[in-house]
PDB file of all heavy atoms in Angstrom:
ATOM      1  N   LEU P  62       2.586 -77.096  -4.593  1.00  0.00           N
ATOM      2  CA  LEU P  62       2.239 -76.141  -3.635  1.00  0.00           C
ATOM      3  C   LEU P  62       3.061 -76.313  -2.334  1.00  0.00           C
ATOM      4  O   LEU P  62       3.614 -75.364  -1.678  1.00  0.00           O
ATOM      5  CB  LEU P  62       0.770 -76.173  -3.328  1.00  0.00           C
ATOM      6  CG  LEU P  62      -0.168 -75.516  -4.393  1.00  0.00           C
ATOM      7  CD1 LEU P  62      -1.637 -75.856  -4.142  1.00  0.00           C
ATOM      8  CD2 LEU P  62       0.080 -73.960  -4.480  1.00  0.00           C
ATOM      9  N   LYS P  63       3.257 -77.538  -1.898  1.00  0.00           N
ATOM     10  CA  LYS P  63       4.035 -77.885  -0.742  1.00  0.00           C
ATOM     11  C   LYS P  63       5.468 -77.426  -0.951  1.00  0.00           C
ATOM     12  O   LYS P  63       6.100 -76.813   0.000  1.00  0.00           O
ATOM     13  CB  LYS P  63       3.937 -79.487  -0.492  1.00  0.00           C
ATOM     14  CG  LYS P  63       4.775 -79.822   0.727  1.00  0.00           C
ATOM     15  CD  LYS P  63       4.703 -81.396   0.880  1.00  0.00           C
ATOM     16  CE  LYS P  63       5.482 -81.854   2.161  1.00  0.00           C
ATOM     17  NZ  LYS P  63       5.500 -83.248   2.287  1.00  0.00           N
ATOM     18  N   TYR P  64       6.025 -77.718  -2.151  1.00  0.00           N
ATOM     19  CA  TYR P  64       7.339 -77.337  -2.507  1.00  0.00           C
ATOM     20  C   TYR P  64       7.499 -75.771  -2.421  1.00  0.00           C
ATOM     21  O   TYR P  64       8.477 -75.252  -1.807  1.00  0.00           O
ATOM     22  CB  TYR P  64       7.658 -77.852  -3.824  1.00  0.00           C
ATOM     23  CG  TYR P  64       8.934 -77.468  -4.523  1.00  0.00           C
ATOM     24  CD1 TYR P  64      10.236 -77.790  -4.005  1.00  0.00           C
ATOM     25  CD2 TYR P  64       8.898 -76.791  -5.719  1.00  0.00           C
ATOM     26  CE1 TYR P  64      11.316 -77.435  -4.614  1.00  0.00           C
ATOM     27  CE2 TYR P  64      10.097 -76.380  -6.310  1.00  0.00           C
ATOM     28  CZ  TYR P  64      11.301 -76.687  -5.813  1.00  0.00           C
ATOM     29  OH  TYR P  64      12.529 -76.354  -6.390  1.00  0.00           O
ATOM     30  N   PHE P  65       6.609 -75.036  -3.100  1.00  0.00           N
ATOM     31  CA  PHE P  65       6.671 -73.584  -3.111  1.00  0.00           C
ATOM     32  C   PHE P  65       6.436 -72.984  -1.741  1.00  0.00           C
ATOM     33  O   PHE P  65       7.057 -71.996  -1.361  1.00  0.00           O
ATOM     34  CB  PHE P  65       5.691 -73.033  -4.115  1.00  0.00           C
ATOM     35  CG  PHE P  65       5.970 -73.346  -5.506  1.00  0.00           C
ATOM     36  CD1 PHE P  65       4.919 -73.659  -6.325  1.00  0.00           C
ATOM     37  CD2 PHE P  65       7.288 -73.282  -6.038  1.00  0.00           C
ATOM     38  CE1 PHE P  65       5.165 -74.037  -7.710  1.00  0.00           C
ATOM     39  CE2 PHE P  65       7.568 -73.551  -7.387  1.00  0.00           C
ATOM     40  CZ  PHE P  65       6.414 -73.889  -8.191  1.00  0.00           C
ATOM     41  N   SER P  66       5.580 -73.515  -0.964  1.00  0.00           N
ATOM     42  CA  SER P  66       5.195 -72.982   0.330  1.00  0.00           C
ATOM     43  C   SER P  66       6.294 -73.025   1.402  1.00  0.00           C
ATOM     44  O   SER P  66       6.259 -72.307   2.423  1.00  0.00           O
ATOM     45  CB  SER P  66       3.923 -73.609   0.944  1.00  0.00           C
ATOM     46  OG  SER P  66       4.154 -74.938   1.266  1.00  0.00           O
ATOM     47  N   GLU P  67       7.330 -73.729   1.061  1.00  0.00           N
ATOM     48  CA  GLU P  67       8.544 -73.729   2.110  1.00  0.00           C
ATOM     49  C   GLU P  67       9.308 -72.441   2.049  1.00  0.00           C
ATOM     50  O   GLU P  67       9.892 -72.097   2.964  1.00  0.00           O
ATOM     51  CB  GLU P  67       9.522 -74.935   1.579  1.00  0.00           C
ATOM     52  CG  GLU P  67       8.877 -76.308   1.887  1.00  0.00           C
ATOM     53  CD  GLU P  67       9.764 -77.380   1.401  1.00  0.00           C
ATOM     54  OE1 GLU P  67      10.914 -77.094   0.870  1.00  0.00           O
ATOM     55  OE2 GLU P  67       9.387 -78.557   1.475  1.00  0.00           O
ATOM     56  N   CYS P  68       9.129 -71.703   0.879  1.00  0.00           N
ATOM     57  CA  CYS P  68       9.859 -70.430   0.762  1.00  0.00           C
ATOM     58  C   CYS P  68       8.994 -69.258   0.405  1.00  0.00           C
ATOM     59  O   CYS P  68       9.391 -68.168   0.552  1.00  0.00           O
ATOM     60  CB  CYS P  68      11.044 -70.561  -0.223  1.00  0.00           C
ATOM     61  SG  CYS P  68      12.364 -71.649   0.251  1.00  0.00           S
ATOM     62  N   PHE P  69       7.783 -69.511  -0.191  1.00  0.00           N
ATOM     63  CA  PHE P  69       6.946 -68.508  -0.688  1.00  0.00           C
ATOM     64  C   PHE P  69       5.590 -68.405  -0.026  1.00  0.00           C
ATOM     65  O   PHE P  69       5.081 -69.429   0.462  1.00  0.00           O
ATOM     66  CB  PHE P  69       6.744 -68.635  -2.190  1.00  0.00           C
ATOM     67  CG  PHE P  69       7.975 -68.882  -2.994  1.00  0.00           C
ATOM     68  CD1 PHE P  69       7.978 -69.785  -4.110  1.00  0.00           C
ATOM     69  CD2 PHE P  69       9.149 -68.230  -2.783  1.00  0.00           C
ATOM     70  CE1 PHE P  69       9.150 -69.999  -4.836  1.00  0.00           C
ATOM     71  CE2 PHE P  69      10.320 -68.424  -3.523  1.00  0.00           C
ATOM     72  CZ  PHE P  69      10.304 -69.365  -4.579  1.00  0.00           C
ATOM     73  N   LYS P  70       4.970 -67.308  -0.085  1.00  0.00           N
ATOM     74  CA  LYS P  70       3.556 -67.223   0.234  1.00  0.00           C
ATOM     75  C   LYS P  70       2.704 -67.791  -0.930  1.00  0.00           C
ATOM     76  O   LYS P  70       2.913 -67.318  -2.020  1.00  0.00           O
ATOM     77  CB  LYS P  70       3.181 -65.739   0.547  1.00  0.00           C
ATOM     78  CG  LYS P  70       1.671 -65.662   0.948  1.00  0.00           C
ATOM     79  CD  LYS P  70       1.323 -64.207   1.274  1.00  0.00           C
ATOM     80  CE  LYS P  70      -0.145 -64.110   1.660  1.00  0.00           C
ATOM     81  NZ  LYS P  70      -0.522 -62.646   1.956  1.00  0.00           N
ATOM     82  N   THR P  71       1.908 -68.731  -0.803  1.00  0.00           N
ATOM     83  CA  THR P  71       1.336 -69.409  -1.873  1.00  0.00           C
ATOM     84  C   THR P  71      -0.213 -69.304  -1.896  1.00  0.00           C
ATOM     85  O   THR P  71      -0.839 -69.279  -0.842  1.00  0.00           O
ATOM     86  CB  THR P  71       1.594 -70.985  -1.840  1.00  0.00           C
ATOM     87  OG1 THR P  71       1.313 -71.555  -0.603  1.00  0.00           O
ATOM     88  CG2 THR P  71       3.093 -71.195  -2.223  1.00  0.00           C
ATOM     89  N   THR P  72      -0.710 -69.161  -3.122  1.00  0.00           N
ATOM     90  CA  THR P  72      -2.086 -69.074  -3.424  1.00  0.00           C
ATOM     91  C   THR P  72      -2.395 -70.019  -4.574  1.00  0.00           C
ATOM     92  O   THR P  72      -1.542 -70.179  -5.501  1.00  0.00           O
ATOM     93  CB  THR P  72      -2.556 -67.625  -3.829  1.00  0.00           C
ATOM     94  OG1 THR P  72      -2.167 -66.713  -2.769  1.00  0.00           O
ATOM     95  CG2 THR P  72      -4.067 -67.546  -4.071  1.00  0.00           C
ATOM     96  N   ALA P  73      -3.546 -70.686  -4.604  1.00  0.00           N
ATOM     97  CA  ALA P  73      -3.849 -71.559  -5.696  1.00  0.00           C
ATOM     98  C   ALA P  73      -5.313 -71.356  -6.113  1.00  0.00           C
ATOM     99  O   ALA P  73      -6.237 -71.116  -5.216  1.00  0.00           O
ATOM    100  CB  ALA P  73      -3.700 -72.996  -5.263  1.00  0.00           C
ATOM    101  N   ILE P  74      -5.617 -71.487  -7.418  1.00  0.00           N
ATOM    102  CA  ILE P  74      -6.918 -71.314  -7.921  1.00  0.00           C
ATOM    103  C   ILE P  74      -7.318 -72.539  -8.733  1.00  0.00           C
ATOM    104  O   ILE P  74      -6.477 -73.005  -9.593  1.00  0.00           O
ATOM    105  CB  ILE P  74      -7.097 -69.972  -8.753  1.00  0.00           C
ATOM    106  CG1 ILE P  74      -8.505 -69.849  -9.117  1.00  0.00           C
ATOM    107  CG2 ILE P  74      -6.199 -69.994 -10.014  1.00  0.00           C
ATOM    108  CD1 ILE P  74      -8.830 -68.337  -9.590  1.00  0.00           C
ATOM    109  N   ASP P  75      -8.490 -73.047  -8.580  1.00  0.00           N
ATOM    110  CA  ASP P  75      -8.914 -74.298  -9.296  1.00  0.00           C
ATOM    111  C   ASP P  75     -10.504 -74.145  -9.313  1.00  0.00           C
ATOM    112  O   ASP P  75     -11.099 -73.732  -8.374  1.00  0.00           O
ATOM    113  CB  ASP P  75      -8.484 -75.588  -8.499  1.00  0.00           C
ATOM    114  CG  ASP P  75      -8.385 -76.761  -9.397  1.00  0.00           C
ATOM    115  OD1 ASP P  75      -9.400 -77.188  -9.874  1.00  0.00           O
ATOM    116  OD2 ASP P  75      -7.269 -77.340  -9.625  1.00  0.00           O
ATOM    117  N   ILE P  76     -10.996 -74.808 -10.421  1.00  0.00           N
ATOM    118  CA  ILE P  76     -12.423 -74.799 -10.588  1.00  0.00           C
ATOM    119  C   ILE P  76     -13.026 -76.054  -9.812  1.00  0.00           C
ATOM    120  O   ILE P  76     -14.261 -76.082  -9.690  1.00  0.00           O
ATOM    121  CB  ILE P  76     -12.876 -74.882 -12.097  1.00  0.00           C
ATOM    122  CG1 ILE P  76     -12.274 -76.197 -12.775  1.00  0.00           C
ATOM    123  CG2 ILE P  76     -12.419 -73.695 -12.775  1.00  0.00           C
ATOM    124  CD1 ILE P  76     -12.765 -76.370 -14.142  1.00  0.00           C
ATOM    125  N   SER P  77     -12.218 -76.995  -9.434  1.00  0.00           N
ATOM    126  CA  SER P  77     -12.638 -78.182  -8.769  1.00  0.00           C
ATOM    127  C   SER P  77     -12.490 -78.088  -7.237  1.00  0.00           C
ATOM    128  O   SER P  77     -11.380 -78.065  -6.718  1.00  0.00           O
ATOM    129  CB  SER P  77     -11.923 -79.381  -9.278  1.00  0.00           C
ATOM    130  OG  SER P  77     -12.210 -80.492  -8.454  1.00  0.00           O
ATOM    131  N   SER P  78     -13.623 -78.115  -6.482  1.00  0.00           N
ATOM    132  CA  SER P  78     -13.515 -78.084  -4.976  1.00  0.00           C
ATOM    133  C   SER P  78     -12.836 -79.314  -4.477  1.00  0.00           C
ATOM    134  O   SER P  78     -12.207 -79.380  -3.464  1.00  0.00           O
ATOM    135  CB  SER P  78     -14.882 -77.925  -4.451  1.00  0.00           C
ATOM    136  OG  SER P  78     -15.747 -79.015  -4.748  1.00  0.00           O
ATOM    137  N   LYS P  79     -13.028 -80.488  -5.104  1.00  0.00           N
ATOM    138  CA  LYS P  79     -12.456 -81.808  -4.726  1.00  0.00           C
ATOM    139  C   LYS P  79     -10.962 -81.808  -4.967  1.00  0.00           C
ATOM    140  O   LYS P  79     -10.247 -82.354  -4.095  1.00  0.00           O
ATOM    141  CB  LYS P  79     -13.110 -82.917  -5.426  1.00  0.00           C
ATOM    142  CG  LYS P  79     -14.611 -83.121  -4.926  1.00  0.00           C
ATOM    143  CD  LYS P  79     -15.202 -84.382  -5.503  1.00  0.00           C
ATOM    144  CE  LYS P  79     -16.656 -84.531  -5.027  1.00  0.00           C
ATOM    145  NZ  LYS P  79     -16.842 -84.581  -3.602  1.00  0.00           N
ATOM    146  N   MET P  80     -10.494 -81.155  -5.988  1.00  0.00           N
ATOM    147  CA  MET P  80      -9.029 -81.072  -6.181  1.00  0.00           C
ATOM    148  C   MET P  80      -8.387 -80.211  -5.069  1.00  0.00           C
ATOM    149  O   MET P  80      -7.393 -80.517  -4.612  1.00  0.00           O
ATOM    150  CB  MET P  80      -8.783 -80.573  -7.594  1.00  0.00           C
ATOM    151  CG  MET P  80      -9.068 -81.522  -8.692  1.00  0.00           C
ATOM    152  SD  MET P  80      -7.986 -82.957  -8.813  1.00  0.00           S
ATOM    153  CE  MET P  80      -6.359 -82.136  -9.288  1.00  0.00           C
ATOM    154  N   ILE P  81      -9.104 -79.170  -4.710  1.00  0.00           N
ATOM    155  CA  ILE P  81      -8.634 -78.265  -3.704  1.00  0.00           C
ATOM    156  C   ILE P  81      -8.515 -79.067  -2.357  1.00  0.00           C
ATOM    157  O   ILE P  81      -7.562 -79.006  -1.563  1.00  0.00           O
ATOM    158  CB  ILE P  81      -9.499 -77.136  -3.489  1.00  0.00           C
ATOM    159  CG1 ILE P  81      -9.276 -76.053  -4.701  1.00  0.00           C
ATOM    160  CG2 ILE P  81      -9.210 -76.321  -2.196  1.00  0.00           C
ATOM    161  CD1 ILE P  81     -10.242 -74.879  -4.756  1.00  0.00           C
ATOM    162  N   GLU P  82      -9.536 -79.931  -2.080  1.00  0.00           N
ATOM    163  CA  GLU P  82      -9.521 -80.716  -0.901  1.00  0.00           C
ATOM    164  C   GLU P  82      -8.277 -81.683  -0.858  1.00  0.00           C
ATOM    165  O   GLU P  82      -7.680 -81.793   0.232  1.00  0.00           O
ATOM    166  CB  GLU P  82     -10.718 -81.586  -0.791  1.00  0.00           C
ATOM    167  CG  GLU P  82     -12.028 -80.824  -0.451  1.00  0.00           C
ATOM    168  CD  GLU P  82     -13.203 -81.705  -0.504  1.00  0.00           C
ATOM    169  OE1 GLU P  82     -13.100 -82.915  -0.673  1.00  0.00           O
ATOM    170  OE2 GLU P  82     -14.390 -81.064  -0.514  1.00  0.00           O
ATOM    171  N   VAL P  83      -7.944 -82.189  -2.039  1.00  0.00           N
ATOM    172  CA  VAL P  83      -6.741 -83.022  -2.179  1.00  0.00           C
ATOM    173  C   VAL P  83      -5.462 -82.219  -1.862  1.00  0.00           C
ATOM    174  O   VAL P  83      -4.629 -82.602  -1.069  1.00  0.00           O
ATOM    175  CB  VAL P  83      -6.683 -83.645  -3.562  1.00  0.00           C
ATOM    176  CG1 VAL P  83      -5.263 -84.403  -3.814  1.00  0.00           C
ATOM    177  CG2 VAL P  83      -7.749 -84.808  -3.734  1.00  0.00           C
ATOM    178  N   ALA P  84      -5.359 -81.095  -2.462  1.00  0.00           N
ATOM    179  CA  ALA P  84      -4.170 -80.334  -2.302  1.00  0.00           C
ATOM    180  C   ALA P  84      -3.923 -79.768  -0.881  1.00  0.00           C
ATOM    181  O   ALA P  84      -2.781 -79.642  -0.400  1.00  0.00           O
ATOM    182  CB  ALA P  84      -4.212 -79.109  -3.275  1.00  0.00           C
ATOM    183  N   LYS P  85      -5.062 -79.446  -0.208  1.00  0.00           N
ATOM    184  CA  LYS P  85      -5.001 -78.974   1.192  1.00  0.00           C
ATOM    185  C   LYS P  85      -4.323 -79.927   2.131  1.00  0.00           C
ATOM    186  O   LYS P  85      -3.671 -79.546   3.004  1.00  0.00           O
ATOM    187  CB  LYS P  85      -6.365 -78.690   1.733  1.00  0.00           C
ATOM    188  CG  LYS P  85      -6.958 -77.333   1.230  1.00  0.00           C
ATOM    189  CD  LYS P  85      -8.290 -77.122   1.810  1.00  0.00           C
ATOM    190  CE  LYS P  85      -8.848 -75.683   1.533  1.00  0.00           C
ATOM    191  NZ  LYS P  85     -10.191 -75.463   2.097  1.00  0.00           N
ATOM    192  N   ARG P  86      -4.394 -81.187   1.898  1.00  0.00           N
ATOM    193  CA  ARG P  86      -3.741 -82.179   2.673  1.00  0.00           C
ATOM    194  C   ARG P  86      -2.253 -82.095   2.679  1.00  0.00           C
ATOM    195  O   ARG P  86      -1.608 -82.310   3.617  1.00  0.00           O
ATOM    196  CB  ARG P  86      -4.157 -83.630   2.277  1.00  0.00           C
ATOM    197  CG  ARG P  86      -5.668 -83.845   2.340  1.00  0.00           C
ATOM    198  CD  ARG P  86      -5.995 -85.196   1.603  1.00  0.00           C
ATOM    199  NE  ARG P  86      -7.445 -85.293   1.284  1.00  0.00           N
ATOM    200  CZ  ARG P  86      -7.911 -86.199   0.430  1.00  0.00           C
ATOM    201  NH1 ARG P  86      -7.147 -87.079  -0.123  1.00  0.00           N
ATOM    202  NH2 ARG P  86      -9.162 -86.172   0.225  1.00  0.00           N
ATOM    203  N   LYS P  87      -1.702 -81.620   1.554  1.00  0.00           N
ATOM    204  CA  LYS P  87      -0.182 -81.548   1.453  1.00  0.00           C
ATOM    205  C   LYS P  87       0.203 -80.169   1.695  1.00  0.00           C
ATOM    206  O   LYS P  87       1.366 -79.890   2.161  1.00  0.00           O
ATOM    207  CB  LYS P  87       0.237 -81.995   0.066  1.00  0.00           C
ATOM    208  CG  LYS P  87       0.087 -83.516  -0.142  1.00  0.00           C
ATOM    209  CD  LYS P  87       0.636 -83.875  -1.444  1.00  0.00           C
ATOM    210  CE  LYS P  87       0.492 -85.460  -1.621  1.00  0.00           C
ATOM    211  NZ  LYS P  87       1.047 -85.959  -2.946  1.00  0.00           N
ATOM    212  N   ALA P  88      -0.531 -79.095   1.374  1.00  0.00           N
ATOM    213  CA  ALA P  88      -0.221 -77.770   1.447  1.00  0.00           C
ATOM    214  C   ALA P  88      -1.294 -76.938   2.234  1.00  0.00           C
ATOM    215  O   ALA P  88      -1.972 -76.069   1.629  1.00  0.00           O
ATOM    216  CB  ALA P  88       0.067 -77.138   0.084  1.00  0.00           C
ATOM    217  N   PRO P  89      -1.397 -77.156   3.512  1.00  0.00           N
ATOM    218  CA  PRO P  89      -2.463 -76.521   4.304  1.00  0.00           C
ATOM    219  C   PRO P  89      -2.354 -75.037   4.486  1.00  0.00           C
ATOM    220  O   PRO P  89      -3.262 -74.272   4.768  1.00  0.00           O
ATOM    221  CB  PRO P  89      -2.420 -77.267   5.632  1.00  0.00           C
ATOM    222  CG  PRO P  89      -1.027 -77.785   5.744  1.00  0.00           C
ATOM    223  CD  PRO P  89      -0.661 -78.036   4.367  1.00  0.00           C
TER     224      PRO P  89
END
Side-chain angles (χ1 to χ4, degrees):
L62 287 169
K63 181 181 179 181
Y64 173 64
F65 292 139
S66 64
E67 293 176 359
C68 294
F69 310 142
K70 181 178 180 181
T71 52
T72 303
I74 187 166
D75 203 297
I76 60 172
S77 166
S78 60
K79 293 188 180 298
M80 289 293 292
I81 288 174
E82 290 173 10
V83 169
K85 278 183 177 178
R86 299 170 197 165
K87 293 184 178 179

